[in-house]
């Protein structure tokens, strides 16, 4: 990888600078540049987003926020979470073309252009999903804004709705609401 490009190497590079050590760039493969090169999509401008959040609610909110940007989106993903990301893309940005790049520059390299739904079906049909992924999401219309369900009047219902919106555990949202309620009563 490239230190600092969605990689924990940034901390190591910062420490080298702090210690007065020389840090040099060496030209080499970049998954972002490679994926853009083989995507077949209009990628000017593009936005590198790194890895998606882990929770489904947070992924959808993240895609709504960044999906509103003009241009293509470049997203890294692990094999364990690739199908979940494609599901969220199918829900939030269903009209956009996506190029799935897997194992770029390696023996089992795979590049497939399709819809989020078709790519999700492709990966779901496999016994095991392997390899590191780069998804290039083509430009297109704005994200789909999902209609929010009315929130139940009790704190647990409100906490469940907030947890889904924030991408946090229900318990965390519930505790935040209890704290707010205690502060208001004080």
């Amino acid at each position: 990888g490239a230190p600092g490009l969605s990689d924990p190497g940034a901390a190591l590079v910062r420490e080298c600078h702090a210690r007065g050590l020389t840090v040099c760039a060496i030209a080499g493969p970049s998954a972002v540049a490679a994926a853009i090169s083989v995507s077949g999509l209009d990628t000017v401008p593009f936005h590198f987003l790194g890895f998606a959040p882990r929770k489904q609610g947070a992924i959808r909110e993240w895609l709504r926020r960044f999906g509103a940007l003009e241009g293509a989106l470049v997203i890294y993903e692990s094999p364990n979470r690739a199908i979940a990301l494609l599901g969220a893309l199918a829900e939030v940005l269903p009209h956009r073309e996506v190029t799935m790049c897997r194992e770029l520059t390696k023996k089992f390299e795979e590049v497939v252009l399709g819809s989020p739904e078709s790519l999700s079906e492709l990966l779901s049909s496999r016994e095991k999903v392997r390899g590191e992924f780069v998804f290039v999401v083509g430009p297109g219309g704005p994200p789909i804004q999902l209609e929010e369900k009315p929130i139940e009047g009790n704190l647990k219902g409100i906490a469940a709705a907030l947890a889904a919106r924030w991408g946090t555990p229900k318990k965390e949202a519930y505790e935040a609401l209890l704290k707010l309620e205690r502060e208001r009563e004080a």
Side-chain angles (χ1 to χ4, degrees), residues 60-70 73 88-89 91-96 140-146:
R60 288 191 299 272
E61 188 57 37
W62 185 74
L63 287 172
R64 279 188 202 94
R65 184 172 70 243
F66 290 114
L69 294 172
E70 183 180 328
L73 308 174
L89 280 166
E91 187 178 322
V92 178
L93 301 169
H95 50 280
R96 303 234 186 142
I144 292 178
Q145 295 297 327
L146 303 174

Side-chain angles (χ1 to χ4, degrees), residues 26-127:
I26 300 173
S30 164
V32 172
I36 287 170
S37 298
V38 299
S39 72
L41 299 171
D42 181 8
T43 56
V44 177
F46 76 88
H47 306 277
F48 174 64
L49 304 183
F51 285 90
R54 292 186 176 273
K55 299 185 185 219
Q56 274 299 327
I59 293 172
R60 288 191 299 272
E61 188 57 37
W62 185 74
L63 287 172
R64 279 188 202 94
R65 184 172 70 243
F66 290 114
L69 294 172
E70 183 180 328
L73 308 174
V74 181
I75 304 168
Y76 284 175
E77 197 50 272
S78 73
N80 298 333
R81 298 181 358 208
I83 294 172
L85 174 64
L86 286 166
L89 280 166
E91 187 178 322
V92 178
L93 301 169
H95 50 280
R96 303 234 186 142
E97 287 186 298
V98 177
T99 300
M100 177 186 76
C101 304
R102 186 180 68 82
E103 292 293 280
L104 285 173
T105 74
K106 297 177 186 161
K107 182 179 179 180
F108 298 105
E109 178 176 311
E110 178 180 31
V111 178
V112 181
L113 175 63
S115 69
E117 188 174 336
S118 68
L119 294 174
S120 181
E121 289 172 8
L122 173 69
L123 288 183
S124 295
S125 70
R126 296 182 178 172
E127 195 171 306

Side-chain angles (χ1 to χ4, degrees), residues 123-153:
L123 288 183
S124 295
S125 70
R126 296 182 178 172
E127 195 171 306
K128 183 165 174 114
V129 178
R130 295 184 178 168
E132 296 300 318
F133 289 85
V134 181
F135 293 98
V136 181
V137 181
I144 292 178
Q145 295 297 327
L146 303 174
E147 291 183 27
E148 294 188 21
K149 298 175 187 171
I151 298 174
E152 295 176 28

